[in-house]
Amino acid sequence: MKVLGIDPGSRHFGYGIVCENTMKIEYAGTLNICSSERIEERLKYIYERLTEIIEKYSPNEMAIEKIFAGRKIPSSFVLGYARGIALLVAAQHGIPVYEYSSTEIKKALTGYGRAHKIQVKGMVKNLLNHNGKISYDCSDALAVAICHIHSKSLLKVLK
């Protein structure tokens, strides 16, 4: 079973595929998109790259971070567009999608729902036995995938 984790963004879009059985990274990275591009061009780029990734690596499930509006409401709208593209691509490929809040993700990885990005990144690297460099956006995407894998395991135990 392969889980595609998504940390959506219109300028930095993190993604990572984790193999559930081995807890290893199959493929991960960040789409860094120039902010001077028009939003529709950025969304098209996300759509095309995400489609390529899914067609090449065939993940079984997608886990994506929920939107937190906070104080920057306009930014939340743009973030919603990027999420929408990810949801569309998943639907086009018949991939079930699971959503988690940032608090749920942080708590699943570190035990603390308000953990800092550096703590989450450290746990991602430890849990996946990864020594290479990864961006925070990529780390966040991998964290979503790990959160989903752990959540599924917990649900199996509780049944």
Side-chain angles (χ1 to χ4, degrees):
M1 175 77 70
K2 294 187 276 188
V3 177
L4 170 60
I6 298 290
D7 179 42
S10 66
R11 290 187 1 198
H12 306 288
F13 188 98
Y15 60 89
I17 299 173
V18 176
C19 295
E20 183 177 7
N21 297 339
T22 61
M23 287 304 287
K24 298 283 184 202
I25 299 171
E26 180 164 332
Y27 186 68
T30 303
L31 302 177
N32 293 304
I33 308 157
C34 182
S35 61
S36 65
E37 289 283 334
R38 295 187 339 255
I39 186 65
E40 60 270 23
E41 291 301 319
R42 287 187 266 164
L43 296 174
K44 179 183 174 200
Y45 180 77
I46 291 168
Y47 175 84
E48 291 171 348
R49 296 296 84 72
L50 193 54
T51 298
E52 289 172 4
I53 292 165
I54 287 174
E55 288 176 355
K56 184 173 182 178
Y57 294 96
S58 303
N60 305 97
E61 297 176 337
M62 178 187 286
I64 189 167
E65 187 172 343
K66 290 180 183 176
I67 293 177
F68 172 72
R71 296 181 185 162
K72 298 180 180 180
I73 302 296
S75 297
S76 297
F77 284 122
V78 176
L79 177 63
Y81 301 153
R83 276 183 93 252
I85 293 298
L87 297 174
L88 171 64
V89 175
Q92 288 178 326
H93 291 84
I95 300 171
V97 178
Y98 302 86
E99 300 177 275
Y100 299 92
S101 70
S102 62
T103 305
E104 290 173 308
I105 297 162
K106 290 174 182 178
K107 193 167 187 174
L109 268 77
T110 69
Y112 180 58
R114 295 183 181 263
H116 294 285
K117 282 189 171 287
I118 190 76
Q119 292 169 300
V120 173
K121 187 176 184 178
M123 285 304 295
V124 165
K125 292 178 96 171
N126 284 339
L127 290 169
L128 299 175
N129 197 23
H130 183 75
N131 296 321
K133 286 183 139 186
I134 53 174
S135 71
Y136 282 112
D137 300 290
C138 179
S139 169
D140 287 350
L142 291 166
V144 180
I146 294 167
C147 173
H148 177 63
I149 290 167
H150 288 173
S151 296
K152 281 178 42 176
S153 298
L154 182 60
L155 287 174
K156 287 178 187 173
V157 169
L158 294 175
K159 284 185 178 183

